[in-house]
Amino acid sequence: MGKRPPKPGPNPSDLIVAIARHEDKAAFAALFELYAGRIKAWLMSTGTSGERAEDLAQETMLTIWRKAASYDPARANASAWIFAIARNARIDRFRRDRRAEQLPDIYELIEPGEPDKPDDMLDAAEREQRVRLAITDLSEDQLSVVRLSFFEGRPHGEIADLLDLPLGTVKSRLRLAMKRLRTLLGDLS
């Protein structure tokens, strides 16, 4: 008696589509079973610690649940799309961690300094008014990425997801916006 070939597993693309169309929890559970361990193993192979890899794998799977509707099987296979999300999560976490290391100690922020002088306060108000006016000169596309990046502190990858834009477009818009603001505010110190 011969061995039967193994039964093929669920198609990951079909699972993502089911999640997108029906918020199918069973499809998500099957996708989680297929990919969570693989994502963690891949992250660990890049030098990520086990605990952080576990956390990033969870974050990746959550992003897949939220962004399933943006998956296009005609543009990428499921694995490539999933691992791109994992890679972006790893990069975003690295950037957040690096930014946190560069922030001053919280105690430095709450220690009282010298009171502001009236002239300094007036200068700051004038600078703020000039910046507000300059920002209104940006295109709506540039303004939306500037708001998300600088006012909300979102990483570029997240902005790309929120606005459904390629990451390069987000970076280009930010670069153009900053160039425009430098031109308008060049004499500001």
Side-chain angles (χ1 to χ4, degrees):
M1 220 178 196
K3 276 188 165 181
R4 288 187 192 170
K7 182 180 171 188
N11 180 328
S13 290
D14 293 341
L15 295 174
I16 296 170
V17 169
I19 294 166
R21 289 187 182 154
H22 312 292
E23 294 186 349
D24 188 327
K25 290 182 175 90
F28 182 73
L31 196 67
F32 191 96
E33 184 71 29
L34 279 172
Y35 281 96
R38 292 179 193 178
I39 293 167
K40 180 180 177 183
W42 174 76
L43 288 165
M44 290 176 69
S45 76
T46 67
T48 306
S49 72
E51 185 177 321
R52 173 143 308 165
E54 178 75 29
D55 186 38
L56 287 169
Q58 298 282 335
E59 185 177 322
T60 298
M61 296 308 297
L62 181 60
T63 300
I64 291 166
W65 174 263
R66 288 192 329 255
K67 303 289 183 184
S70 69
Y71 172 65
D72 181 359
R75 289 183 61 198
N77 72 37
S79 288
W81 186 73
I82 289 168
F83 279 95
I85 291 171
R87 184 196 73 225
N88 291 341
R90 182 176 64 95
I91 290 168
D92 289 345
R93 177 69 58 91
F94 174 76
R95 287 179 179 156
R96 276 194 306 266
D97 290 349
R98 203 171 73 206
R99 253 185 276 153
E101 289 172 3
Q102 294 171 351
L103 289 176
D105 191 299
I106 189 69
Y107 295 108
E108 292 176 23
L109 296 175
I110 58 174
E111 285 181 13
E114 291 183 31
D116 290 334
K117 297 176 185 165
D119 287 343
D120 292 341
M121 291 170 46
L122 181 60
D123 288 345
E126 288 174 355
R127 278 195 308 273
E128 181 180 336
Q129 181 61 31
R130 284 192 58 201
V131 170
R132 286 181 190 274
L133 186 60
I135 285 175
T136 63
D137 199 46
L138 297 176
S139 71
E140 190 58 42
D141 290 339
Q142 292 172 349
L143 183 58
S144 64
V145 295
V146 166
R147 278 187 183 135
L148 291 168
S149 181
F150 293 101
F151 299 127
E152 295 183 24
R154 295 179 186 263
H156 295 169
E158 187 177 326
I159 295 170
D161 289 342
L162 284 170
L163 299 177
D164 197 26
L165 294 170
L167 182 59
T169 301
V170 169
K171 290 182 178 190
S172 292
R173 287 182 183 174
L174 278 171
R175 243 186 332 271
L176 290 171
M178 296 313 295
K179 184 178 179 184
R180 179 76 180 137
L181 290 173
R182 270 193 295 275
T183 300
L184 294 169
L185 303 168
D187 64 327
L188 249 170
S189 50

